[in-house]
Amino acid sequence: MAVRTGEQFLQGLRDDRSIWLEGERVADVTAHPHLARMAQTLAKIYDLQHDPALHELLTFRSPTTGQDTAVSYLIPQTQADLLRRRKGLEVIANFHHGVLGRTPDYVNIQVTATRQLADLHGRTQRRFADNLIAYHQYLAANDLCLTHTFGHPQVNRGASVGGQPDPYIPLGAVAETSEGIIVRGAKLLATLAPFSDEIFVPPYRPVRGKEEEKYALGFSIPTATKGLSFICRESFDRGRSLYDHPLSGQYDELDALAVFDDVLVPWERVFCYGDWELHNHLVDLGIMWRQYQQQVTVKEIAKLEFALGLADAVAETIGIKGISHVQEK
């Protein structure tokens, strides 16, 4: 497959995922009145990869599969690689005017950066490194859309992860079996969750040490996994005219609380388990930040250009560009 079409992306969303919005479970995110237009926006982004004028900018030839692959999965080895990826990121950011913060390329780059740290993930058990490498290849070959979670529910921010009123408010391991680990709890902040194929849970937030090692987790599973639910904030898209609401009507990616109710994570999807030292220092190593901040910076530049252009257009339309204090501002 390598690069999906918009229709293939939409078809992948029609499953038994547990998405809750405004008190009700969503039957089909591609048809829901408050979600459908955002799903279409993402489908158009996937279709950009098939535009002959943009295909070379948005893809690269995978050395593993030989297929054209989304440029966000490129493992940069040189400055030229970073420049190539930037050009692809600019196409996507300019398409949505920088309004969307978590288009698929965002977590794609995060997984790619994590893949570059595979040896660290495998320092306690080599299979975790192998799992991470294989997962990156799987995502690239199937051009999937991911959400991610990295924070704990804000119940008592003055207490440690393990010092919350309920030890399974934050996500933690309950047990392990021959098939994998059982996890229970909740995680923030699953942006784009209703429209994702998978959820990526990296080992980010610090824990106190070995006594909290059950919270030192890194894994990824399909969005439609049994026992996994997403509780979304209220949608900004109220189904109104795009003439009056062009941004909220097309560019609401939504945020969600991911709730894991004794969810089985297969061993082949585990990247970190009980390694609290890795959990505490992974982000400090810098590779992660440098990689996905490229996507963030490109997106923010597009947003700034859009905002400045909009302000200029308003001033031009109402005829105040010649006024000195308007020119100064």
Side-chain angles (χ1 to χ4, degrees):
M1 183 180 295
V3 288
R4 289 193 291 179
T5 65
E7 183 52 42
Q8 288 171 324
F9 162 73
L10 293 173
Q11 186 57 42
L13 301 180
R14 300 182 181 112
D15 53 26
D16 60 349
R17 63 189 55 208
S18 180
I19 305 294
W20 292 81
L21 177 65
E22 299 167 19
E24 297 181 350
R25 182 171 178 176
V26 177
D28 182 353
V29 299
T30 69
H32 192 282
H34 300 291
L35 299 175
R37 293 197 290 201
M38 178 59 197
Q40 289 294 330
T41 295
L42 289 169
K44 292 175 184 176
I45 289 175
Y46 275 96
D47 279 335
L48 292 175
Q49 299 178 127
H50 298 272
D51 184 332
L54 301 174
H55 183 75
E56 291 297 321
L57 292 173
L58 292 172
T59 65
F60 73 103
R61 185 60 57 88
S62 169
T64 304
T65 65
Q67 295 180 308
D68 290 341
T69 304
V71 73
S72 49
Y73 289 114
L74 174 66
I75 299 175
Q77 305 291 339
T78 65
Q79 184 184 51
D81 288 339
L82 289 173
L83 290 172
R84 180 176 186 181
R85 187 169 70 180
R86 188 199 73 190
K87 291 177 181 178
L89 297 176
E90 286 173 341
V91 171
I92 297 172
N94 289 329
F95 174 81
H96 59 76
H97 315 296
V99 176
L100 295 174
R102 298 294 185 265
T103 44
D105 51 353
Y106 176 81
V107 183
N108 291 356
I109 291 179
Q110 212 173 78
V111 175
T112 301
T114 307
R115 156 67 180 85
Q116 291 181 272
L117 298 170
D119 287 342
L120 285 175
H121 285 74
R123 67 189 194 133
T124 58
Q125 295 188 49
R126 179 62 204 179
R127 63 174 169 171
F128 296 154
D130 295 338
N131 289 348
L132 190 49
I133 293 169
Y135 186 62
H136 178 261
Q137 293 174 345
Y138 169 74
L139 293 180
N142 291 277
D143 200 17
L144 299 184
C145 178
L146 275 69
T147 183
H148 78 323
T149 58
F150 50 86
H152 304 297
Q154 297 182 18
V155 178
N156 182 354
R157 298 191 69 179
S160 66
V161 176
Q164 300 299 322
D166 183 328
Y168 288 103
I169 289 175
L171 181 68
V174 178
E176 61 177 85
T177 71
S178 59
E179 297 178 86
I181 58 175
I182 309 295
V183 298
R184 180 190 304 165
K187 274 274 195 178
L188 299 169
L189 183 62
T191 308
L192 207 69
F195 315 101
S196 65
D197 300 299
E198 303 240 344
I199 179 172
F200 178 56
V201 185
Y204 273 12
R205 289 294 186 260
V207 294
R208 291 173 63 181
K210 187 171 179 58
E211 68 269 25
E212 292 186 349
E213 64 181 10
K214 70 180 179 181
Y215 301 111
L217 298 168
F219 63 88
S220 191
I221 53 176
T223 301
T225 297
K226 180 181 179 181
L228 174 60
S229 297
F230 295 92
I231 303 173
C232 303
R233 63 155 167 75
E234 182 179 280
S235 174
F236 295 148
D237 182 5
R238 308 316 296 172
R240 298 168 183 164
S241 165
L242 291 181
Y243 181 85
D244 294 318
H245 304 274
L247 300 185
S248 61
Q250 298 178 89
Y251 305 124
D252 185 17
E253 53 204 350
L254 278 102
D255 303 307
L257 175 72
V259 180
F260 299 78
D261 186 5
D262 288 1
V263 173
L264 171 66
V265 180
W267 283 118
E268 62 269 20
R269 287 302 194 90
V270 178
F271 315 129
C272 172
Y273 178 47
D275 189 349
W276 61 270
E277 292 179 318
L278 173 67
H279 205 280
N280 285 356
H281 301 299
L282 185 62
V283 175
D284 297 341
L285 298 174
I287 292 177
M288 185 82 65
W289 290 103
R290 290 197 301 270
Q291 292 288 356
Y292 72 78
Q293 281 300 319
Q294 183 186 34
Q295 190 272 353
V296 172
T297 302
V298 168
K299 180 262 298 181
E300 294 297 343
I301 291 172
K303 182 187 291 186
L304 177 60
E305 291 177 341
F306 175 67
L308 291 174
L310 186 62
D312 183 73
V314 169
E316 176 71 30
T317 300
I318 62 178
I320 60 172
K321 291 185 71 173
I323 301 174
S324 60
H325 74 270
V326 172
Q327 293 176 344
E328 179 185 11
K329 290 181 177 65

